[in-house]
């Protein structure tokens, strides 16, 4: 990953980061490291999911995160989470 060294004009304050976040768009110092996440309203009506469309439905999304981060959700908990996301 590239390492960005950002320097604030006027104060010479510097920050080293691998992802400047919204600051790349706004150019504002306060936006370094900030991100705008997608809204979850009506998420069930917008498949496929992920930037590459690799998850075709909400159960696939929940399974991905459960496996990737070793959350350990039971089948019942996964079903409850999918139902919650579908209700938004």
């Amino acid at each position: 990953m590239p390492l960005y060294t950002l320097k604030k004009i006027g104060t010479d304050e510097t920050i080293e980061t691998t992802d400047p976040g919204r600051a790349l768009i706004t150019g504002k110092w306060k936006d370094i490291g900030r991100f705008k996440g997608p809204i979850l309203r009506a998420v069930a009506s917008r498949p496929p999911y992920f930037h590459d469309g690799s998850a075709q439905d909400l159960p696939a999304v929940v399974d991905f995160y459960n496996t990737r981060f070793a959350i350990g959700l039971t089948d019942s908990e996964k079903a409850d989470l999918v139902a919650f996301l579908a209700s938004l």
Side-chain angles (χ1 to χ4, degrees):
M1 293 185 142
L3 181 65
Y4 298 93
T5 301
L6 307 171
K7 187 174 184 179
K8 187 173 185 179
I9 298 172
T11 66
D12 291 335
E13 181 181 353
T14 61
I15 292 179
E16 289 187 351
T17 181
T18 57
D19 193 343
R22 296 228 6 113
L24 284 177
I25 297 167
T26 65
K28 295 180 179 179
W29 186 258
K30 68 178 184 171
D31 288 340
I32 295 173
R34 289 185 177 178
F35 298 90
K36 181 179 179 193
I39 61 168
L40 292 178
R41 179 176 288 153
V43 70
S45 67
R46 296 188 308 249
Y49 304 99
F50 301 130
H51 71 283
D52 60 357
S54 61
Q56 295 301 311
D57 53 22
L58 290 175
V61 172
V62 171
D63 283 338
F64 170 82
Y65 283 110
N66 189 45
T67 302
R68 171 66 175 88
F69 297 106
I71 298 171
L73 297 173
T74 66
D75 288 341
S76 176
E77 290 169 330
K78 288 191 276 187
D80 289 345
L81 182 54
V82 167
F84 170 72
L85 291 170
S87 73
L88 298 175

